[in-house]
Amino acid sequence: QIVAAIEEFFAETTDKPLADLPLAGRRAIVTSGPTREPIDPVRYIANRSSGKQGHAVAAALARAGAETVLVSGPTGEPDPPGVAIVRVETAREMLAACEQAMPADIVVCAAAVVDWRPADAAPAKLKKNGPAPPLLLVENPDILATLSSGPGRPALIVGFAAETNDVVAYAQAKLKKKNCDWILANDVSPASGTFGGEHNTVHLVSADGVEDWPRLTKREVAERLAARVVDHFATGNR
Amino acid sequence: QIVAAIEEFFAETTDKPLADLPLAGRRAIVTSGPTREPIDPVRYIANRSSGKQGHAVAAALARAGAETVLVSGPTGEPDPPGVAIVRVETAREMLAACEQAMPADIVVCAAAVVDWRPADAAPAKLKKNGPAPPLLLVENPDILATLSSGPGRPALIVGFAAETNDVVAYAQAKLKKKNCDWILANDVSPASGTFGGEHNTVHLVSADGVEDWPRLTKREVAERLAARVVDHFATGNR
């Protein structure tokens, strides 16, 4: 009921003074979109993330009164109102921008960070001369794990786990491994239509268990998450 | 002068009947945008091509009366009016779509095809477990060379050479190697702002030599190219 009431509240634009909003005085950092990891000046590795879900989360937290920084990879999404935006391309730039935006009370890592990058980005466009050499990859920094383990750890850290199979099991493993508070697990297999689409079906995984949310629009997922964040800070629950 | 007159003609919308347009009765195929080469269901290799130049070329040829098929990789560009669009993702899909659209009198390969693809796209999202294995790449089919050497070769085949260095020298080599008629060579180094930008500085390379065009908008480049195509078919020149 609390959640429903708060969701209704968010759904309306409001003329309330900022200080009366439930997350007033809280700082939030949200990551969104894919990253691009350069192979050479024109080619890169990326993924199908559209940024819709992350941008919606940033907008919802801002509507709830949080001072919100959105750190976004390249997307075609419009800038959410009332949000400070930092645009980045690579995972390393995304981590640096998040660290720069700290401290924060709330971090939501919704970006689909490319886990590996080419070991050496070529300074000029690679030519097609004979067989291609294998592309050597190195692991990118883990933004969620880094922010969860560093000094000044935010009070509430939320990750997304985008998988194409065994979605909840991977999310439970990720929750522990990355020392975060909640994982929103979602299916991004091509059949799901999640990447690029308007809808999302997520499971909220926490130390308390797994909560299955129904199929919602990405905006609804964002509002429900923001309502849970408000509830978390209101009650001190995890 | 002919070119200038025809450019002016194209710049206006016209109510002339199709049959009176200079490329009426000619068929054109234009490729545009990047390709995406899957690593797994969510990750891929791509490049920074925006599709602006290829889409502008398709629009200009259609305005000149050609029956135009645009074979496009993923872009954020609006559909050009009066053009049939076939959307593809990979280089192999792009080649198949071009072959399906044949025969044609004019082919303009403006797409920035990714030259290599991962040898085996993984059926499920790759997990980050330990060091990443090297990504094995295989060469993609060469769309320009394939269309230039097959049966029913179009009368006029135009390629683009997007380079970050030694732009004209590479274009001259490409012209011979791929058996095409004209190459529009352009600089796509990050400093040039060509990929994603509104302007382009191109060199038209043919067996007759190199023609340096001034810095133009991509629409102007497209109109100038269409005017040259009209002139080619009007005079029988190469």
Side-chain angles (χ1 to χ4, degrees), chain A residues 36 39 41-48 89 115-116 124-128 130 132-137 139 142 162-165 170 188 190 195, chain B residues 36 39 41-48 89 115-116 124-128 130 132-137 139 142 162-165 170 188 190 195:
Chain A
R36 283 183 181 174
I39 297 171
V42 301
R43 302 180 181 97
Y44 57 81
I45 297 177
N47 62 54
R48 297 179 188 277
E89 287 227 333
D115 292 318
W116 305 283
K125 188 184 169 196
L126 296 168
K127 302 303 300 171
K128 191 165 69 168
L135 191 57
L136 299 181
L137 302 174
E139 203 166 315
D142 188 315
E163 301 294 345
T164 56
N165 54 299
Y170 280 129
V188 295
F195 269 174
Chain B
R36 284 183 181 173
I39 298 170
V42 300
R43 303 180 180 98
Y44 56 81
I45 298 177
N47 62 54
R48 297 179 188 277
E89 287 228 330
D115 292 318
W116 305 282
K125 187 183 169 196
L126 295 169
K127 301 303 301 174
K128 190 165 69 168
L135 191 57
L136 300 181
L137 302 174
E139 203 167 316
D142 188 316
E163 301 294 345
T164 56
N165 55 302
Y170 279 130
V188 295
F195 268 173

Side-chain angles (χ1 to χ4, degrees), chain A residues 2-232:
Chain A
I2 295 175
V3 168
I6 297 172
E7 276 179 0
E8 195 180 7
F9 169 76
F10 287 140
E12 297 160 24
T13 54
T14 173
D15 291 327
K16 278 202 181 183
L18 180 64
D20 291 352
L21 293 172
L23 293 180
R26 304 273 181 195
R27 278 179 56 85
I29 301 171
V30 179
T31 70
S32 184
T35 63
R36 283 183 181 174
E37 308 298 332
I39 297 171
D40 65 21
V42 301
R43 302 180 181 97
Y44 57 81
I45 297 177
N47 62 54
R48 297 179 188 277
S49 168
S50 62
K52 287 183 201 289
Q53 186 62 77
H55 279 52
V57 168
L61 292 174
R63 279 198 300 275
E67 185 188 338
T68 305
V69 178
L70 173 62
V71 180
S72 179
T75 81
E77 286 298 291
D79 296 349
V83 166
I85 304 198
V86 184
R87 289 173 218 285
V88 298
E89 287 227 333
T90 67
R92 286 175 294 175
E93 290 167 5
M94 187 171 275
L95 175 59
C98 289
E99 287 178 330
Q100 180 103 36
M102 291 277 276
D105 304 287
I106 306 147
V107 167
V108 180
C109 291
V113 176
V114 175
D115 292 318
W116 305 283
R117 66 175 184 275
D120 294 294
K125 188 184 169 196
L126 296 168
K127 302 303 300 171
K128 191 165 69 168
N129 289 325
L135 191 57
L136 299 181
L137 302 174
V138 295
E139 203 166 315
N140 264 328
D142 188 315
I143 296 171
L144 190 57
T146 305
L147 299 179
S148 295
S149 63
R153 182 191 188 278
L156 183 65
I157 299 192
V158 183
F160 273 72
E163 301 294 345
T164 56
N165 54 299
D166 300 320
V167 171
V168 169
Y170 280 129
Q172 288 171 320
K174 187 168 179 173
L175 185 76
K176 284 193 183 172
K177 191 172 155 193
K178 305 214 175 170
N179 185 34
C180 57
D181 301 295
W182 303 340
I183 294 276
L184 290 182
N186 58 350
D187 183 344
V188 295
S189 61
S192 74
T194 299
F195 269 174
E198 298 300 328
H199 290 81
N200 207 349
T201 306
V202 309
H203 313 271
L204 190 152
V205 178
S206 71
D208 296 334
V210 180
E211 208 176 280
D212 300 319
W213 291 7
R215 183 168 188 269
L216 299 169
T217 65
K218 289 181 177 176
R219 182 181 163 128
E220 289 165 340
V221 168
E223 283 166 356
R224 197 156 168 160
L225 175 62
R228 291 296 297 264
V229 171
V230 169
D231 188 46
H232 173 84

Side-chain angles (χ1 to χ4, degrees), chain B:
Chain B
Q1 296 86 339
I2 295 175
V3 169
I6 297 173
E7 277 179 359
E8 193 179 8
F9 169 75
F10 287 140
E12 298 160 23
T13 54
T14 174
D15 291 326
K16 278 202 181 186
L18 180 65
D20 291 351
L21 293 172
L23 294 179
R26 304 274 180 195
R27 277 179 56 84
I29 300 172
V30 179
T31 70
S32 184
T35 62
R36 284 183 181 173
E37 308 298 332
I39 298 170
D40 66 20
V42 300
R43 303 180 180 98
Y44 56 81
I45 298 177
N47 62 54
R48 297 179 188 277
S49 167
S50 62
K52 286 183 201 290
Q53 185 63 77
H55 278 53
V57 168
L61 292 174
R63 280 198 299 275
E67 184 189 336
T68 304
V69 177
L70 173 61
V71 179
S72 178
T75 80
E77 287 298 291
D79 295 350
V83 166
I85 303 197
V86 183
R87 290 174 216 286
V88 298
E89 287 228 330
T90 68
R92 287 175 294 174
E93 290 167 4
M94 187 171 274
L95 175 59
C98 289
E99 288 178 328
Q100 180 102 35
M102 292 277 277
D105 304 287
I106 307 147
V107 167
V108 180
C109 290
V113 175
V114 176
D115 292 318
W116 305 282
R117 65 174 185 275
D120 294 294
K125 187 183 169 196
L126 295 169
K127 301 303 301 174
K128 190 165 69 168
N129 288 325
L135 191 57
L136 300 181
L137 302 174
V138 294
E139 203 167 316
N140 264 328
D142 188 316
I143 295 170
L144 190 57
T146 305
L147 299 179
S148 295
S149 62
R153 183 192 188 278
L156 183 64
I157 299 191
V158 183
F160 273 73
E163 301 294 345
T164 56
N165 55 302
D166 300 321
V167 171
V168 168
Y170 279 130
Q172 288 171 319
K174 186 168 181 173
L175 184 76
K176 282 193 185 172
K177 191 172 156 194
K178 306 215 175 171
N179 186 35
C180 58
D181 301 295
W182 303 339
I183 293 276
L184 290 182
N186 57 350
D187 184 343
V188 295
S189 61
S192 74
T194 299
F195 268 173
E198 298 301 327
H199 290 81
N200 207 350
T201 306
V202 308
H203 313 271
L204 191 152
V205 178
S206 72
D208 297 334
V210 180
E211 207 177 280
D212 299 318
W213 291 6
R215 183 168 188 268
L216 298 169
T217 65
K218 289 181 176 176
R219 182 182 161 127
E220 288 166 340
V221 168
E223 283 166 359
R224 196 155 170 163
L225 175 62
R228 292 295 297 266
V229 171
V230 169
D231 188 46
H232 173 85
F233 284 106
T235 64
N237 288 335
R238 278 242 160 161

